[in-house]
Amino acid sequence: MGVQVHLPATAGSFLLPVTLCVLTLLPQGLLGKSGDEENTRSSALLQRVKRGWVWNQFFVLEEYTGLEPLYIGKLHSDMDKGDGSIKYILTGDGAGTTFTIDDSTGDIHAIQRLDREVKSQYVLRAQARNRLTDRPLEPESEFIVKIQDINDNEPKFLDGPYQATVPEMSRIGTSVIQLTATDADDPTYGNSARVVYSILEGQPYFSVDAKTGVVRVSLTDMDRETRENYTILIQAKDMGGQLGGLAGTTTVNITLSDVNDNPPVFDQRLYQMSVPESAPVGSVVGRIWAKDRDIGVNAEMKYSIIDGDGRDTFDISTDATNLFGIITVKKPLNFENKPSYTLKVEGANTHLDPTFRHRGPFKDVTIVHVSVEDVDEPPLFGSPAYYIELMEDAEIGTVVKTVSARDPDAANNTVRYSIDRSSDPEKFFYIEITSGMLMTVRSLDREEVGWHNITVLAMEMNNPTQIASVSVAVRVLDVNDNPPSLSHYLETFVCENAKAGQLIQTVTAVDPDEPLGGQRFYYSLAPEAANNPNFTLRDNQDNTAWILTRRGGWSQQDQTVFYLPIFVSDGEQPMQTSTSTLTIRVCSCDQEGNVMSCNAEAYSLPASLSKGALIAILACIFVLLVMILLMLSLRTHRKKPYLCDEEENVHENIVRYDDEGGGEEDTEAFDIAAMWNPREVHHPLGKIRQDMMPEIESLSRYVPQPCVIGVGSGEDSNVHGYVLAKLLEADLDPCAPPYDSLQTYAYEGEGSVAESLSSLQSGTSNGDHEYDYLNDWGPRFKKLAEMYGVLETNTPPMW
């Protein structure tokens, strides 16, 4: 199959060399055969099928604008006899839509306008078939139709228009932005896509590189503060910029960015400001501004007070925009002390550019004059607050503190004082209205109120609206005025099986007082229970004490309850003491010491004892008890003293004065011990009583000793003389107080210091006495009853 290429006339001589080259490269079979060769091929066709389809390329110019379809080429098969029996078929890219083929002749035409920039080549497949049988006569073969470029596209700036920024005052040649224009024509064919750049608008400020498209600064010292924005027009032209080339343009908006090339300048050389003297610390006085032609960080300022008499009274800071200086009050103002201040303020840029230091200095100075306005102020206390310590035993009327306030204004009005009653609702304190003396009007008790927070008010007499207040904190200091007492445990138990030395209770004490060194308690048994045979107390020296048993063999049948008085004292001065009674019950316990029962169990009786015998026994016990009570009653009546002779009753005197005496604490009376045994005064056997020597010596100053001895005779006379001597001493003493006292002189007779316990007449009786009635006098006479051997064995001890 041969291919005949027919070129359209419009291509002209320009495509002639290309066509010749294609024809030269085509195989000989495509260019035609001699007659001999055809005969040889015909004979050989009967033997084998010879491939006659040859691959080829077709070239066609784009943008054909003719009225007729564009002839591209011709397909021809060697088996085509020209009788129309062969049918040519074209398939592939654009077959039937862009390209058509005459199925009889094989002529190929383009029926649409071709654009290389849309599609640069088409791949087509051709085949020759028998028209009648549709059997392929040749294998299908592929060929390419290439579209040749013409300069039909201008350069385009795809990203335009452009925005660019360059610092002001930049040097000539500083790069601003690089532009790139795109040409859709084939860059490998001719100069259709070779672009050249030029600037149409924007001289003399900027220029563009013709090859690279880089826009540069072309004018020195461009100042943003003079002009900030520029718009330039850039052209890109193909064909190397030659005449006839296509061109495209774009705009570039260039903004000059700011640099710190301008120093700040205050808009005023002198600022006038005023502030009331009552303005609190931190109040704003005014605002100043050092203007800077620059913007952004290049215009940010820092202000400072560099001189002036108000540099310690006022302060300056920069606002949130970092542009303005804010002057504030640093210390309280006082019009009476200083009515005006002068400040020298400096404002300086915070961000400096070393390139432009030669344009400096980048700072400026101004003067600020501040006037203080007079305000009627409330009274001013000498201290912002007061702290006072006061003992809780301070007497009523004690001056706690003198609080003073004054009118700070020039008028110096009189000030009056009072207490805010909401701060002292119980009215413990009073303040003198003119002097400000704060004093107590009620007794203080630290245990009830430890702190008093009082608010003292001061008011101007001429202007009652001007009121000031101050806090007075009064701390009440502790005085040891509360005795300690046992805490928590006032009742405990002892097991019947407890042994001697066993711990039955740990006791502690509490004290409302709070000494500085901490609490220190001392424990002991009360004097009356110090030598009891049942329990003892051990002070652990750590504010606790142990209650221990002294014996074993406890039994509920003997005694169920013991009362143990415990003496507690604190270690502070004045020492406070107390006595608390610990109740100890005898209980039956198990082996682990757990309480089982604390009630006395009834005695178990023999099973053989009848009811009548039990009644008889109880009746005998009752009769016996009645007899004992009767005997004790008779003895008591028999031993009552009988006073017959009033003159012989010299052991008891009632001395009456107009004033009452000091009671039990009256230690100024004469020594009662001297009346216990008057014979000891004369010490006939040479025995000298130490406690009687001062009395006898003082007596000898007023009454001769022989007179005292010679008065009367016998023991009663001695006592009578002694009493007279004491009366004489009291009458002659001008300093003796007129105490009323009732003195009882119980002279007990011979044989012991206590002598007899009978009445005053029993001293001369030689009869034997019975002391059974001592058992009826209670526990205080228990030891005395034991001395006379009449202690009832059935009476249980209390401790």
Side-chain angles (χ1 to χ4, degrees):
M1 180 171 60
V3 179
Q4 293 180 0
V5 180
H6 299 276
L7 300 177
T10 56
S13 61
F14 176 72
L15 296 179
L16 182 61
V18 177
T19 304
L20 294 177
C21 293
V22 172
L23 294 177
T24 304
L25 295 175
L26 290 176
Q28 293 295 326
L30 295 177
L31 299 177
K33 309 289 188 306
S34 62
D36 296 336
E37 290 178 347
E38 290 181 359
N39 296 332
T40 304
R41 183 180 59 81
S42 299
S43 59
L45 183 62
L46 299 176
Q47 298 178 356
R48 62 183 179 87
V49 178
K50 179 181 178 183
R51 179 177 177 82
W53 193 269
V54 179
W55 175 89
N56 201 354
Q57 289 185 350
F58 295 91
F59 294 90
V60 60
L61 290 177
E62 64 173 339
E63 303 294 345
Y64 170 71
T65 58
L67 297 178
E68 299 294 331
L70 177 63
Y71 179 75
I72 295 177
K74 183 180 181 62
L75 298 180
H76 182 75
S77 175
D78 295 340
M79 300 178 64
D80 188 359
K81 301 298 183 177
D83 55 1
S85 61
I86 296 178
K87 179 182 180 180
Y88 295 97
I89 298 174
L90 183 67
T91 60
D93 293 341
T97 57
T98 304
F99 302 99
T100 61
I101 188 171
D102 188 334
D103 59 354
S104 299
T105 63
D107 293 333
I108 300 174
H109 292 83
I111 60 177
Q112 288 188 358
R113 183 177 179 178
L114 301 177
D115 190 351
R116 190 201 65 84
E117 286 72 36
V118 176
K119 192 173 182 64
S120 61
Q121 67 179 17
Y122 295 86
V123 178
L124 299 172
R125 292 182 296 278
Q127 191 175 34
R129 290 179 175 270
N130 188 296
R131 187 178 294 273
L132 297 178
T133 63
D134 200 33
R135 182 174 61 85
L137 300 178
E138 297 285 348
E140 187 180 59
S141 183
E142 183 179 86
F143 64 97
I144 298 174
V145 177
K146 285 193 174 184
I147 310 302
Q148 289 184 329
D149 182 54
I150 65 174
N151 188 20
D152 58 344
N153 292 279
E154 74 277 5
K156 295 181 179 180
F157 294 93
L158 302 180
D159 298 328
Y162 297 87
Q163 303 290 333
T165 302
V166 64
E168 63 172 331
M169 312 301 289
S170 296
R171 297 179 180 179
I172 295 176
T174 302
S175 175
V176 178
I177 189 174
Q178 183 174 12
L179 306 179
T180 301
T182 303
D183 195 326
D185 295 325
D186 189 358
T188 62
Y189 180 75
N191 294 327
S192 298
R194 189 164 69 88
V195 178
V196 174
Y197 300 93
S198 61
I199 183 168
L200 301 181
E201 296 179 6
Q203 299 93 346
Y205 307 105
F206 299 96
S207 62
V208 63
D209 188 285
K211 293 182 178 180
T212 62
V214 175
V215 179
R216 301 181 185 276
V217 175
S218 60
L219 184 64
T220 184
D221 294 336
M222 285 195 297
D223 192 0
R224 184 200 66 82
E225 288 74 31
T226 302
R227 181 179 177 183
E228 183 175 4
N229 298 309
Y230 296 85
T231 300
I232 63 175
L233 183 63
I234 302 296
Q235 175 184 270
K237 190 174 184 181
D238 59 8
M239 298 298 292
Q242 296 178 4
L243 185 63
L246 302 179
T249 60
T250 188
T251 58
V252 181
N253 297 314
I254 301 176
T255 301
L256 298 183
S257 61
D258 186 63
V259 297
N260 192 8
D261 58 340
N262 295 280
V265 178
F266 281 102
D267 56 352
Q268 294 180 225
R269 294 291 94 187
L270 176 64
Y271 289 86
Q272 294 284 350
M273 300 180 183
S274 61
V275 59
E277 63 174 336
S278 59
V281 173
S283 300
V284 175
V285 179
R287 185 177 75 166
I288 61 175
W289 183 22
K291 293 184 178 180
D292 194 328
R293 297 178 63 193
D294 299 319
I295 60 174
V297 296
N298 297 316
E300 293 182 359
M301 304 295 297
K302 179 181 180 182
Y303 297 91
S304 59
I305 301 175
I306 60 176
D307 200 0
D309 56 1
R311 61 188 308 178
D312 296 330
T313 307
F314 299 93
D315 199 1
I316 191 169
S317 60
T318 307
D319 71 340
T321 63
N322 293 320
L323 299 178
F324 299 94
I326 308 299
I327 299 177
T328 57
V329 179
K330 185 178 181 181
K331 290 183 179 179
L333 304 175
N334 192 320
F335 172 80
E336 289 72 24
N337 292 341
K338 191 170 180 59
S340 64
Y341 296 87
T342 300
L343 307 175
K344 186 176 182 180
V345 180
E346 179 186 79
N349 283 138
T350 57
H351 297 82
L352 300 179
D353 191 339
T355 307
F356 303 99
R357 285 188 180 274
H358 62 281
R359 292 174 173 263
F362 289 86
K363 58 185 177 180
D364 197 14
V365 176
T366 189
I367 302 299
V368 180
H369 185 268
V370 181
S371 299
V372 180
E373 299 175 353
D374 188 22
V375 175
D376 189 8
E377 301 172 274
L380 181 64
F381 283 94
S383 176
Y386 295 91
Y387 170 77
I388 303 166
E389 292 182 348
L390 187 64
M391 303 301 294
E392 64 176 321
D393 61 350
E395 297 181 358
I396 296 176
T398 301
V399 176
V400 178
K401 183 73 176 178
T402 298
V403 180
S404 62
R406 63 177 181 84
D407 182 9
D409 297 318
N412 194 19
N413 293 322
T414 305
V415 178
R416 293 293 181 261
Y417 303 92
S418 63
I419 294 177
D420 185 357
R421 283 306 167 192
S422 63
S423 64
D424 186 25
E426 301 297 330
K427 298 183 179 180
F428 284 94
F429 299 91
Y430 166 78
I431 191 168
E432 210 283 324
I433 189 171
T434 58
S435 64
M437 286 193 304
L438 184 67
M439 60 188 69
T440 60
V441 293
R442 288 183 56 187
S443 298
L444 304 178
D445 190 351
R446 187 202 64 83
E447 285 71 37
E448 291 184 2
V449 182
W451 283 86
H452 296 270
N453 294 313
I454 306 167
T455 300
V456 176
L457 305 177
M459 179 186 68
E460 291 185 14
M461 285 291 294
N462 296 341
N463 189 0
T465 61
Q466 296 298 328
I467 300 176
S469 63
V470 69
S471 176
V472 180
V474 180
R475 180 186 179 188
V476 182
L477 299 180
D478 185 49
V479 174
N480 192 28
D481 56 350
N482 293 280
S485 60
L486 293 183
S487 62
H488 304 297
Y489 305 104
L490 293 178
E491 184 172 344
T492 187
F493 68 92
V494 59
C495 294
E496 289 183 315
N497 56 1
K499 299 183 176 3
Q502 182 172 331
L503 172 66
I504 63 171
Q505 184 64 56
T506 299
V507 294
T508 59
V510 294
D511 191 339
D513 297 318
E514 293 182 358
L516 296 178
Q519 298 285 5
R520 179 66 180 94
F521 300 121
Y522 301 91
Y523 302 88
S524 64
L525 294 179
E528 61 269 20
N531 297 321
N532 75 88
N534 299 314
F535 303 99
T536 184
L537 181 144
R538 178 188 298 172
D539 192 339
N540 297 325
Q541 305 297 320
D542 60 354
N543 289 345
T544 64
W546 288 350
I547 306 299
L548 306 172
T549 58
R550 276 189 171 180
R551 64 178 179 87
W554 306 91
S555 175
Q556 295 183 10
Q557 299 174 359
D558 296 338
Q559 186 172 350
T560 59
V561 180
F562 294 89
Y563 300 97
L564 188 64
I566 299 176
F567 181 82
V568 185
S569 64
D570 55 23
E572 296 296 315
Q573 295 297 327
M575 182 177 294
Q576 300 289 338
T577 63
S578 68
T579 301
S580 301
T581 301
L582 180 66
T583 302
I584 304 174
R585 299 185 182 276
V586 179
C587 302
S588 58
C589 307
D590 55 15
Q591 295 298 327
E592 288 76 18
N594 300 319
V595 176
M596 299 175 60
S597 175
C598 292
N599 298 322
E601 299 177 356
Y603 291 103
S604 60
L605 298 178
S608 61
L609 189 62
S610 64
K611 184 181 297 184
L614 179 60
I615 295 175
I617 292 174
L618 293 177
C620 294
I621 294 175
F622 177 78
V623 172
L624 182 60
L625 290 176
V626 171
M627 293 177 63
I628 293 174
L629 293 175
L630 183 60
M631 292 175 61
L632 291 176
S633 177
L634 292 176
R635 289 177 182 176
T636 303
H637 288 290
R638 186 185 63 183
K639 293 181 180 181
K640 287 184 178 180
Y642 299 92
L643 301 178
C644 298
D645 189 358
E646 188 172 341
E647 290 183 357
E648 293 179 356
N649 184 18
V650 296
H651 295 284
E652 295 182 359
N653 274 325
I654 298 178
V655 183
R656 293 181 175 85
Y657 296 92
D658 292 335
D659 296 334
E660 292 184 2
E664 293 179 357
E665 296 183 5
D666 182 10
T667 59
E668 299 297 332
F670 48 82
D671 190 5
I672 190 61
M675 297 291 96
W676 292 347
N677 193 350
R679 292 193 303 268
E680 293 297 327
V681 177
H682 308 293
H683 46 82
L685 300 177
K687 181 180 179 182
I688 301 177
R689 288 175 57 125
Q690 297 296 328
D691 58 342
M692 294 300 298
M693 288 301 294
E695 296 291 343
I696 299 302
E697 291 178 0
S698 63
L699 180 65
S700 63
R701 292 180 294 175
Y702 304 102
V703 181
Q705 194 67 22
C707 298
V708 177
I709 299 175
V711 177
S713 61
E715 295 175 353
D716 294 341
S717 299
N718 291 337
V719 174
H720 184 252
Y722 182 82
V723 172
L724 292 177
K726 298 298 289 183
L727 290 175
L728 178 60
E729 177 183 353
D731 292 337
L732 296 178
D733 189 2
C735 298
Y739 290 150
D740 287 353
S741 62
L742 174 62
Q743 305 291 345
T744 301
Y745 308 100
Y747 174 61
E748 301 297 337
E750 299 179 352
S752 68
V753 175
E755 293 295 332
S756 174
L757 296 177
S758 66
S759 63
L760 294 176
Q761 298 292 338
S762 65
T764 58
S765 175
N766 294 325
D768 295 331
H769 297 282
E770 295 181 2
Y771 303 97
D772 297 339
Y773 55 88
L774 293 176
N775 294 323
D776 299 334
W777 289 11
R780 294 184 178 276
F781 294 89
K782 174 175 172 288
K783 291 297 182 181
L784 188 60
E786 290 177 355
M787 292 175 60
Y788 285 86
V790 295
L791 180 63
E792 295 183 4
T793 58
N794 294 331
T795 303
M798 295 189 65
W799 46 74

